[in-house]
Amino acid sequence: MVFDSTPSLFNNTRSSSSDPYSEEYENAMIVRAHPLGTARANNNVNVEGARGPGLEPCIGLEFDSADDAREFYSVYATRVGFRTRTGQLYRSRTDGSVASRRFVCSKEGFQLNSRMGCPAFIRVQRRDSGKWVVDQIHKDHNHELGDVEESRPPILPQRTPTGRKSSAKVSSKSKLKFLAEVDDGQPCFSRSISFKRIKTGGDGGQPKAEPYAGLVFSSVDEAFHFYLRYADEAGFKTRIGQLFRSKNDGSITSRRFVCSKEGFQHPSRVGCGAFMRIKRQDSGTWMVDRLQKDHNHDLEPQTRTHTKSSTASKKFIDEVNGGLDTLDLSEINNGVRSNISQGNNIGSEWYHLLLDYFQSKQAKDTGFFYSVQVDNGVCMSVFWADGRSRFASSQFGDAIVVDTSYRKTNYLVPFATFVGVNHHKQPVLLGCALIANESKESFIWLFRTWLRAMSGCRPKSIIADQDMAIQQAIAHVFPGTRHRFSMWQIRAKERENLRSLSNEFKYEYEKCIYDSQTNADFNTMWNALVNKYGLKENVWLKEMYEKRESWVPLYLRGTFFAGIPLNESMESLFGIFLNAETPLVEFIARYEQGLEQRREEERKEDFNCSNLQAFLQTKEPIEEQCRRLYTLAVFQIFQKELLQCYNYLGIKIYEEGTISRYSVRRCGNDSEKHMVTFSASNLNVSCSCQMFEFEGVLCRHVLRVFILLNMREIPSHYLLHRWTRNAEHGLVCDVDSGVSCQELKSLMVWSLRETACKYIESGTTSIEKYRLACEIMREGAKKFCRQR
């Protein structure tokens, strides 16, 4: 790119009083830019000069084309120290032509590991004159800037094509003309000419074939790679679209490969209609039966990064279809890839196994989601979650456990689970993964994928290992979410680092950790402990003290963890079904068996809650209220606190306006006391023990005060919906997740789907129940009609 700096191209005055933009840009410098190789020979500013104190983007800067604007912004970015890419485009409502374009920092958005939502961009708008003018700009970045290598697509080739060797230098005009001649004699209208656009095949230098209806392939793998090569030469990216299955046996009968800009699910997508569909023939081959070559956007040359990988990885990529959101492989490969340097702990044979399983599940479960991490064309980590897990996450995803206990021993497969706690206080599956390695990038991808599968509903708390890669990934993907270290890992570290110390030390250590009530108490006891046993220089204890807010109960009680105990590990969701010795051929069967057992236990509790009632042990109205609302398991916890409250004495020690404070202590034990603060104006209450904040159930100290105040009902905001019998019906209203309208719709879909599935299961057990189910649906349909 060079800039035309002749006086005639600078204008600080209005050209016409009728120009609608003249007043706005009255004092703006108008600069016309030309692509490198087409500017006049007497220009004295070039690309190299732009790296010095060159021009900066500003409102009113004018270009002959959008390509010129993009090239200018790329030169500016190289000088300043960042990379760019093309962002959204906006079309005219009149004729559909491109009306404006955005060029953004490469770190804009969050779709890839390397992106961090940078807001820097320029937007150019097409005027009636045909020129493109900068009308919006944001220069500030949210990341450090530094020297970058120029990564713009080459405008001119650096060497002559194979078969036309020449040692003589060729002028720019000659090169442009030469390229146009090679390309079948057809003129090239692209400002950026990519050498790949004219790449010839190996058979006599003939251009590679283009797709056409009737083209036959021996496999889906062959068809997909053919379309990838064609797209690379034509100048667009691809991804895998819909698949269609046989109604008889569920096998795949046809597949679509589409332009990456198909659809509107992402800002970069513009509803492009280009695609190629292949259909399976009786002979086992695949034939192109539908084809659309026309695009509704500009085509741009790309850098091919489809490197060779193992046969298993390539075939798996061919079949990747991420449930509701298809995986854009070309977009991932052509983006800024994460540097995964620790290899892959997943054997290639696992991808075949999982692919077959995912396809069979997706045919039955429309809510099934899976995704694959791809690095340089090679499959890495894998994540999946069925519709029930995704729905459970919308209800019980406020406190989750990321179980990577496979790392405790030499597991054959790096299997990890996302686990929550349901309304029966049972572990519930929220997603599964195979983790390729333990790098920060792998865990960032994993957490982002889980978040995408769960419609962006972020948890309040996460229990996970304390490894630095996991800590950094959680801080990156879940800012504001409290990370608590896994107890099993802490116990293992304690055995490793403290095994040589006496039982007396271990007793005092446990007392310091679990009996401290205030920050001052903990610091005093900890310092006394390390001084007494000469452990001031113990590296592990120093590290754990610095991280005390992530594992010491005193600092965690104020965060909601669904009551998961602080001094013990949560039981493994799959128990004995999956272990270190589980062979490949048995993995899926054992996984399904373990999952079904857990869900059967949940169904039993649902049945018990619907048909059984707990005995009341007091005459307090609040006990009857909670028995009616809570599940049996949660009511048992509440009832225990209610019975215990009679062993405590509450004394009002402060009152000002509507605020009262009570000292609640255990009878006969003055050392066990807590402070309860109550507001009569809004019925808010808090206790220094923080049981409600941690578990979501009111403590004995608060209940003692409620009885003193003769309160006959517990305020509704202290009865969490997630603990009620109807937690799986309707939406969780007490979780402030700030969901969007689209996310809310997803939650409603999952809620209705899960409820319908339960009725379907019951309605197919007998003819009588089937007829009853049909009658219920007919009555429901009538009510819907009346609502309209």
Side-chain angles (χ1 to χ4, degrees), residues 412-450:
L412 296 178
V413 58
F415 178 62
T417 56
F418 290 79
V419 181
V421 178
N422 69 9
H423 53 323
H424 301 302
K425 300 289 286 188
Q426 299 169 319
V428 58
L429 185 66
L430 307 179
C432 297
L434 298 187
I435 303 177
N437 57 56
E438 296 176 11
S439 65
K440 171 187 171 183
E441 290 77 13
S442 288
F443 285 110
I444 286 178
W445 175 87
L446 176 64
F447 295 146
R448 279 180 172 169
T449 304
W450 180 84

Side-chain angles (χ1 to χ4, degrees), residues 177-355:
K177 182 179 179 182
F178 176 72
L179 287 173
E181 290 174 351
V182 173
D183 194 10
D184 286 338
Q186 299 298 320
C188 179
F189 297 102
S190 173
R191 296 260 184 184
S192 294
I193 304 174
S194 171
F195 203 69
K196 289 185 172 61
R197 293 287 299 276
I198 58 163
K199 188 171 181 179
T200 57
D203 51 350
Q206 294 301 317
K208 292 187 180 296
E210 292 192 0
Y212 58 88
L215 187 60
V216 177
F217 301 95
S218 60
S219 66
V220 175
D221 179 81
E222 181 184 355
F224 178 60
H225 283 88
F226 170 86
Y227 198 60
L228 275 180
R229 290 193 299 271
Y230 164 70
D232 194 68
E233 293 156 13
F236 66 96
K237 298 177 183 179
T238 65
R239 58 187 173 86
I240 297 172
Q242 291 174 297
L243 59 81
F244 302 88
R245 295 182 179 275
S246 167
K247 294 181 180 179
N248 298 324
D249 57 7
S251 61
I252 297 175
T253 57
S254 64
R255 297 223 60 152
R256 280 167 56 101
F257 308 120
V258 302
C259 173
S260 66
K261 294 184 181 291
E262 181 263 356
F264 298 94
Q265 299 92 330
H266 185 274
S268 64
R269 300 181 185 176
V270 294
C272 180
F275 75 94
M276 180 180 82
R277 194 180 86 163
I278 55 174
K279 189 172 183 179
R280 191 183 66 200
Q281 307 299 301
D282 294 338
S283 61
T285 58
W286 296 78
M287 185 179 71
V288 177
D289 69 329
R290 292 187 185 179
L291 180 67
Q292 174 60 258
K293 291 185 180 181
D294 296 334
H295 298 258
N296 66 350
H297 56 89
D298 296 334
L299 300 182
E300 298 178 0
Q302 303 177 33
T303 302
R304 179 176 301 177
T305 58
H306 308 297
T307 60
K308 294 182 179 180
S309 60
S310 67
T311 303
S313 295
K314 287 195 294 183
K315 289 193 175 183
F316 187 76
I317 290 175
D318 293 341
E319 300 293 343
V320 170
N321 187 340
L324 301 179
D325 298 310
T326 53
L327 183 64
D328 191 342
L329 294 173
S330 297
E331 213 164 82
I332 291 177
N333 287 337
N334 286 325
V336 181
R337 298 188 300 276
S338 59
N339 184 19
I340 301 174
S341 58
Q342 298 189 32
N344 189 347
N345 297 324
I346 306 173
S348 60
E349 65 275 10
W350 281 90
Y351 296 110
H352 289 289
L353 176 76
L354 292 173
L355 172 61

Side-chain angles (χ1 to χ4, degrees), residues 46 142 181 301 335 358 532 573 619 630 651 685 740 749 757:
N46 57 23
N142 65 353
E181 290 174 351
F358 293 162
K532 179 179 178 180
L573 187 132
K619 295 183 179 180
Y630 282 147
I651 302 174
V685 66
S740 65
V749 168
C757 285

Side-chain angles (χ1 to χ4, degrees), residues 34-35 118 234 245 280 345 369 388 399 603 609 653 752 788:
H34 302 274
C118 181
R245 295 182 179 275
R280 191 183 66 200
N345 297 324
F369 176 98
R388 184 161 181 77
R603 285 191 288 268
C609 283
I653 60 173
L752 290 173
R788 292 175 185 172

